[in-house]
Amino acid sequence: MGEVAAESFIDQLPLHQTATKDPNDDQQLQVITVESRSMSTGFNGLSNDRVVGELNPVDAWLPITESRNGNIFYAVFHLISSGIGSQALLLPVAFAALGWTWGVICLSISFAWQLYTIWLLVILAESVPGTRYSRYLHLAVVAFGPKLGKLLAIFPVMYLSGGTCVMLIITAGGNMETLYKIACGGGSTCEAKSLTGVEWFLVFTCMAIAIAQILPNLNSVAKVSMVGAITAVAYCTFIWALSINKGRSNGVSYSPSQESKSDMVEFGNIFNAIGKIALARRNPSCQTMWKGTTISYLLIAMCLFPLTITGFWAYGNKVPVNGGLLSALSQVHGHNTSKHVMGTIYLLVLINSLSSFQIYAMPVFDNLEFQYVSKKKQRCPGWVRAGIRLFFGGLTFFIAVAFPFLGSLAPLIGGIALPLTYVYPCFMYILIKKPSRSGAMWWLNVGLGCLGTILSVMLVVAAAWNLADKGLHANFFRPK
């Protein structure tokens, strides 16, 4: 995840394009060769003495790999901004179903497992001497073959990216409405003047797409990600500190509630959104890439663990499934908390949502532009790139309005997508690195891969059973 190309590595590892395109296959695997010698000129005759050389021309035209001037801080910003989001506010709900002991154990295992698979992906990024794979899809194709690799990687990455953007629209739309009511003081007058749910969705979508129009590639998102990372850490700190300051609510209970049982899968899905961008950027050094990941995950842990533990301590099973910890804080302590403090928290969450939208949408932009570039054999003109972003914004807005209850399907969708983060990297390592069958790495990755597959099936079955048992309150085209 993240382009962590430190300038000190550039001269040591200049890049050279390798012709890998099959004339019969437009969906070519884009790889690059790392050479130990310097090159006087590169693509378009540019000097490669102080800049990273161009790759496959198609690769140089796409948003994710268009610019390679990032560094380790960019990677940290991207990971923190996207790694701490609205899903983190739902973790106390899972604690209500699991209890203190199993809650902490499951969260810790989930975190460690995710960190381990990221480490595998970092290793596999330069698993073949002289070759660097640029995207998650590339590794899937190398490991599982062209057909199976695309089947296992493209659809999950695309629907996770698009689905997360839809959820951001739904969540942020509700948060914007709450922020408006806090600002105007509440009451019947505010209710009368407030926008409808659809209109709040539209406002957020327009803001997110407007930002996307001025950010042509993932490297340009870095400053926005920095703001998103700062706001994520800030609102997590605000919420858990305020929860401790206000103390436990009256009548708090830590026993499982009937409502919270459907959210046990949140522990398995909390970091799923990070996995799809683990190899979204090119890096000249596995050590540098891993350093950025380690720093960001340390900061993420410092936010999520206090947020979850103090949130569950303060509110117990009163944390609602819809809205999570933010809604619990507003309902329990909103009346005795300064509206400036509450407004600041909601504003920070909103800013982080706008930042996260840019990161999650980038794989979709990249794939849609790749389809155009593959057919036209030229860079996307500005008007095409703008049109793609407008199309994506319109599509996600429509889905958010049509399915405002999408959050209720999160356990089912998360169970289906779980292998992308917890399973596939383990099997990729075995198929690409080919460790000895008598070695610990072979058994560890086979065990984790099989365990993750079984867990995914169990989560999907449990989520489907829960929907069949309780029913789905589907309010089509009626956002609340």
Side-chain angles (χ1 to χ4, degrees), residues 131-361:
T131 301
R132 188 177 305 138
Y133 300 104
S134 59
R135 293 170 174 82
Y136 191 100
L137 172 62
H138 299 167
L139 285 175
V141 170
V142 171
F144 303 117
K147 293 184 179 179
L148 183 59
K150 292 176 182 178
L151 177 65
L152 294 177
I154 291 181
F155 179 68
V157 168
M158 292 295 287
Y159 87 70
L160 271 176
S161 297
T164 302
C165 289
V166 171
M167 285 305 305
L168 285 171
I169 293 174
I170 296 173
T171 303
N175 290 338
M176 290 180 71
E177 183 176 10
T178 304
L179 178 60
Y180 167 78
K181 293 178 179 178
I182 292 174
C184 73
S188 57
T189 304
C190 284
E191 292 287 347
K193 294 182 178 180
S194 178
L195 301 177
T196 64
V198 174
E199 290 171 336
W200 285 118
F201 287 5
L202 181 60
V203 170
F204 177 81
T205 304
C206 291
M207 293 171 63
I209 296 303
I211 295 174
Q213 296 289 9
I214 59 177
L215 301 174
N217 52 62
L218 189 57
N219 196 50
S220 64
V221 179
K223 293 182 179 179
V224 175
S225 293
M226 179 184 67
V227 175
I230 294 173
T231 54
V233 174
Y235 79 70
C236 284
T237 305
F238 262 116
I239 292 175
W240 70 255
L242 191 60
S243 298
I244 293 177
N245 179 261
K246 296 294 182 179
R248 291 191 296 179
S249 60
N250 296 328
V252 64
S253 173
Y254 303 118
S255 60
S257 65
Q258 186 67 21
E259 184 181 18
S260 67
K261 289 181 181 179
S262 62
D263 282 83
M264 293 176 66
V265 294
E266 285 297 333
F267 280 105
N269 303 323
I270 188 64
F271 296 119
N272 262 358
I274 305 175
K276 65 181 179 296
I277 49 177
L279 288 182
R281 311 297 299 276
R282 285 187 176 84
N283 309 284
S285 168
C286 288
Q287 290 79 11
T288 306
M289 191 196 306
W290 179 241
K291 184 178 180 181
T293 304
T294 303
I295 293 174
S296 57
Y297 265 67
L298 178 61
L299 293 174
I300 290 172
M302 292 172 63
C303 290
L304 293 190
F305 278 86
L307 180 72
T308 305
I309 294 173
T310 59
F312 184 54
W313 170 81
Y315 309 107
N317 59 16
K318 291 184 178 181
V319 181
V321 176
N322 295 322
L325 196 54
L326 193 59
S327 294
L329 176 65
S330 179
Q331 293 171 8
V332 177
H333 297 302
H335 66 282
N336 61 358
T337 302
S338 168
K339 71 175 185 178
H340 298 292
V341 174
M342 294 299 300
T344 300
I345 294 175
Y346 274 93
L347 181 61
L348 292 172
V349 174
L350 175 60
I351 295 174
N352 175 257
S353 297
L354 287 169
S355 173
S356 298
F357 189 97
Q358 312 307 317
I359 301 174
Y360 286 115

